């Protein structure tokens, strides 16, 4: 299912929280809305779902107009063929796993082959041995998988995820990232995922829309966002950045201690050292700025260090 947002905007009171926004989400892709708290991610997602009405613009899903201010079209959420996965899983605590997953099918009277469809959905999330458990008898990751099974059983064209992993601990979160991405890819479902976590966005997405104060500052593949950020905000929000001046930066991963012919060289003083297990993360002083550099060798604060950067890895950002 391809989603086209055309000039949609939204205000609450006199505050415009989504400025006129246009972009296309490709069929079968995993797209992330990434940005800091309050930038409008959830509002954008809720407008796609039909839970919030845009003030202007149009929303098209494939060839069907879901919303148009001008044409006075506004399809209700239940007619949009979309499913929502929330941060808090929103499982029914008094229902067993099977009934939680069957709930949506029963609610719409779509009960043909109900048992096998529910079991198939639970097989997809590897929980078909847990049919009789109650949500409180499951781990956080298992609850999240039930929430996911509940959405895929209704075979939606698109799943909207609102920070679905944020209630999980760091390890489980990482594992669920892979699982969610694998499951949505194998089912070929268009996914729109909201997060403020750039690692999550980078590792899962085909494309990322970086939002800042209600504007989409950049919409592109994760690699392009990382290596060619269009604005200072995007450069700072996605990945670490070492700023040479107001317009030029490089990524710490593009610096090396090995001399590069024709490379830029910088002699720097170590300010602090953080041990990260596989590497030491050094904070280096560059004039009044601080840079980050990952080293396999331990340094002490005050020590000098020379690093080299290939000029082709210098990123130019217009202010
Ligand atoms: P977070 O990551 O904290 O959930 P977000 O990027 O998802 O943030 P939104 O929830 O979309 O941001 O909110 C964007 C702005 O709109 C915020 O300033 C918020 O306070 C405001 N807002 C959201 N919903 C409403 C509402 N129903 N009434 C008034 N203001 C709202």
């Amino acid at each position: 299912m391809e989603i086209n947002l055309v000039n949609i905007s939204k205000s609450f009171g006199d505050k415009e929280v989504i400025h006129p926004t246009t972009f296309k989400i490709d069929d079968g892709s995993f797209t992330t809305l990434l940005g800091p708290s309050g930038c409008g991610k959830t509002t954008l997602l809720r407008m796609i779902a039909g839970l919030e009405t845009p003030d202007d613009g149009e929303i098209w899903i494939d060839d069907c107009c879901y919303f148009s201010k001008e044409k006075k079209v506004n399809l209700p959420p239940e007619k949009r063929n979309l499913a929502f996965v929330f941060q808090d899983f929103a499982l029914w605590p008094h229902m067993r796993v099977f009934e939680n997953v069957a709930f949506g099918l029963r609610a719409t009277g779509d009960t043909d082959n109900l048992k096998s469809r529910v079991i198939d959905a639970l097989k997809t999330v590897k929980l078909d041995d847990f049919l009789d458990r109650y949500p409180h008898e499951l781990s956080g990751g298992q609850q999240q998988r039930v929430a996911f099974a509940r959405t895929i059983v209704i075979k939606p064209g698109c799943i909207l995820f609102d920070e679905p992993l944020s209630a999980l601990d760091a390890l489980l979160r990482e594992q669920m990232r892979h699982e969610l991405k694998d499951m949505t890819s194998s089912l070929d479902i268009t996914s729109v995922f909201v997060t403020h976590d750039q690692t999550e966005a980078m590792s899962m997405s085909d494309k990322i829309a970086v939002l800042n104060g209600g504007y989409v500052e950049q919409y592109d593949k994760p690699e392009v966002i990382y290596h060619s950020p269009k604005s200072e905000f995007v450069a700072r929000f996605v990945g670490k950045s070492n700023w040479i001046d107001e317009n030029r930066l490089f990524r710490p991963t593009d610096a090396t201690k090995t001399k590069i012919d024709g490379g830029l060289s910088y002699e720097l003083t170590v300010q602090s050292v953080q041990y990260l297990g596989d590497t030491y993360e050094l904070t280096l002083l560059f004039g009044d700025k601080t840079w980050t550099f990952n080293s396999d060798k331990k340094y002490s604060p005050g020590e000098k260090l020379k690093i080299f950067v290939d000029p082709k890895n210098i990123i130019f950002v217009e202010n």
Side-chain angles (χ1 to χ4, degrees):
M1 167 181 238
E2 180 183 287
I3 304 173
N4 266 298
L5 307 179
V6 187
N7 262 322
I8 59 162
S9 60
K10 178 76 186 171
S11 295
F12 290 113
D14 56 4
K15 187 174 176 219
E16 192 168 38
V17 298
I18 296 291
H19 301 279
T21 292
T22 299
F23 68 95
K24 184 181 87 174
I25 294 170
D26 294 329
D27 180 31
S29 69
F30 197 105
T31 300
T32 296
L33 309 179
L34 172 70
S37 182
C39 69
K41 307 178 291 291
T42 299
T43 304
L44 202 50
L45 198 72
R46 287 172 58 83
M47 288 197 287
I48 298 172
L51 298 170
E52 208 72 75
T53 306
D55 296 334
D56 213 341
E58 297 192 339
I59 299 175
W60 287 78
I61 310 280
D62 297 328
D63 295 330
C64 179
C65 182
Y66 276 29
F67 173 82
S68 170
K69 166 88 173 172
E70 202 184 307
K71 299 186 182 86
K72 297 194 170 39
V73 174
N74 193 9
L75 229 60
E78 65 276 13
K79 296 249 166 83
R80 293 194 176 203
N81 190 22
L82 307 162
F84 224 109
V85 179
F86 298 97
Q87 181 177 343
D88 61 0
F89 316 142
L91 299 178
W92 298 106
H94 59 290
M95 287 185 191
R96 296 177 195 269
V97 165
F98 183 93
E99 285 306 325
N100 260 289
V101 176
F103 184 81
L105 298 174
R106 290 201 204 285
T108 55
D110 178 14
T111 51
D112 286 353
N113 306 317
L114 180 127
K115 190 170 176 192
S116 62
R117 286 158 72 194
V118 170
I119 291 174
D120 279 351
L122 285 165
K123 271 188 186 148
T124 306
V125 299
K126 301 187 194 79
L127 280 181
D128 46 320
D129 287 339
F130 292 74
L131 305 183
D132 294 329
R133 297 261 187 112
Y134 286 100
H136 74 268
E137 295 170 329
L138 300 172
S139 70
Q142 289 165 338
Q143 289 181 35
Q144 184 54 277
R145 298 216 289 267
V146 176
F148 186 69
R150 197 180 42 183
T151 61
I152 57 174
V153 77
I154 59 168
K155 298 223 179 298
C158 172
I159 303 184
L160 307 173
F161 294 95
D162 194 0
E163 307 235 14
L165 307 181
S166 55
L168 307 176
D169 67 52
L171 210 61
L172 192 54
R173 202 175 161 138
E174 198 177 327
Q175 182 193 334
M176 287 302 294
R177 254 185 230 156
H178 296 293
E179 285 193 19
L180 268 191
K181 170 75 190 186
D182 289 350
M183 287 189 283
T184 53
S185 302
S186 67
L187 296 167
D188 206 20
I189 296 180
T190 308
S191 306
V192 188
F193 188 93
V194 159
T195 184
H196 57 265
D197 182 328
Q198 49 125 341
T199 316
E200 213 160 271
M202 296 292 273
S203 61
M204 298 176 81
S205 318
D206 297 310
K207 274 194 174 175
I208 301 175
V210 185
L211 273 93
N212 180 23
Y215 288 95
V216 175
E217 294 226 351
Q218 190 163 359
Y219 178 51
D220 223 316
K221 293 181 183 154
E223 296 85 347
V224 177
I225 294 213
Y226 184 75
H227 290 293
S228 306
K230 276 195 180 151
S231 66
E232 180 183 342
F233 174 81
V234 175
R236 288 187 188 278
F237 196 76
V238 179
K240 295 204 165 146
S241 42
N242 292 339
W243 290 84
I244 298 168
D245 54 34
E246 275 182 9
N247 301 102
R248 291 181 307 148
L249 71 126
F250 61 91
R251 298 298 190 186
T253 42
D254 286 329
T256 168
K257 281 189 283 185
T258 315
K259 189 171 185 307
I260 300 176
D261 283 340
L264 303 164
S265 70
Y266 299 96
E267 175 131 0
L268 305 154
T269 307
V270 176
Q271 184 187 47
S272 61
V273 184
Q274 239 189 315
Y275 181 51
L276 300 182
D278 53 346
T279 179
Y280 293 94
E281 186 178 272
L282 312 181
T283 303
L284 306 169
L285 287 171
F286 176 69
D288 59 352
K289 301 177 177 58
T290 54
W291 286 358
T292 305
F293 180 75
N294 290 326
S295 165
D296 48 1
K297 183 186 149 209
K298 188 174 183 182
Y299 284 81
S300 302
E303 267 190 87
K304 297 274 188 211
L305 172 71
K306 199 166 188 175
I307 64 168
F308 299 88
V309 186
D310 193 323
K312 74 173 189 327
N313 289 324
I314 303 293
I315 299 165
F316 185 83
V317 173
E318 276 194 56
N319 282 326

